[in-house]
Amino acid sequence: MVYRVVEAATVAAHLAFIGYLVVGGFLAWRWRRTIALHVAVVAWGVGSVLVGYECPLTDLENWARRMSGQPELPSTGFISHYLTGVLYPVDAVTLVRLLVVAVVLASWIGYFRRRPARVLAR
């Protein structure tokens, strides 16, 4: 039972991470100091796709699944198991990635355009 709770909490944390990756730049428009966290999250997300970083959340979920007698996630990972083919078609992965990049870039452009004007000291 405890392992199933850990698994569910890990899935929720994973989804929150991905959600923040996509829209965190817009949240930084309101809470400006969060932009550094968003940049770090985007860097990790890009690295996990391009470089193949091991995700500690996936490792934790796999551990909880093993402990509760369930099979581990497929080697393709969290996104391909829970999102690809569920929220968008398998053949749209590249399009979805490009849309995520566009949304993140738009949020960062908006962030820098909305920054408060600096007062010049005389």
Side-chain angles (χ1 to χ4, degrees):
M1 171 72 174
V2 171
Y3 300 115
R4 297 297 299 257
V5 171
V6 171
E7 176 195 354
T10 305
V11 169
H14 234 140
L15 291 171
F17 180 90
I18 292 167
Y20 185 71
L21 186 149
V22 176
V23 301
F26 294 108
L27 295 175
W29 291 12
R30 171 68 176 93
W31 296 285
R32 299 199 55 78
R33 293 182 180 183
T34 65
I35 194 68
L37 175 62
H38 189 249
V39 169
V41 165
V42 169
W44 184 268
V46 168
S48 70
V49 170
L50 296 180
V51 179
Y53 296 156
E54 289 291 322
C55 178
L57 289 173
T58 301
D59 292 341
L60 179 60
E61 182 178 349
N62 280 334
W63 172 81
R65 285 171 156 270
R66 279 192 312 274
M67 298 305 289
S68 66
Q70 295 182 64
E72 292 187 3
L73 291 173
S75 62
T76 52
F78 179 89
I79 291 175
S80 67
H81 181 71
Y82 288 107
L83 302 179
T84 304
V86 177
L87 292 182
Y88 53 87
V90 174
D91 60 348
V93 170
T94 301
L95 175 61
V96 169
R97 287 179 179 172
L98 290 173
L99 288 172
V100 168
V101 168
V103 169
V104 169
L105 289 177
S107 73
W108 287 357
I109 289 167
Y111 172 85
F112 287 108
R113 293 189 75 185
R114 295 174 54 93
R115 73 176 170 206
R118 295 183 183 192
V119 178
L120 298 175
R122 291 185 177 221

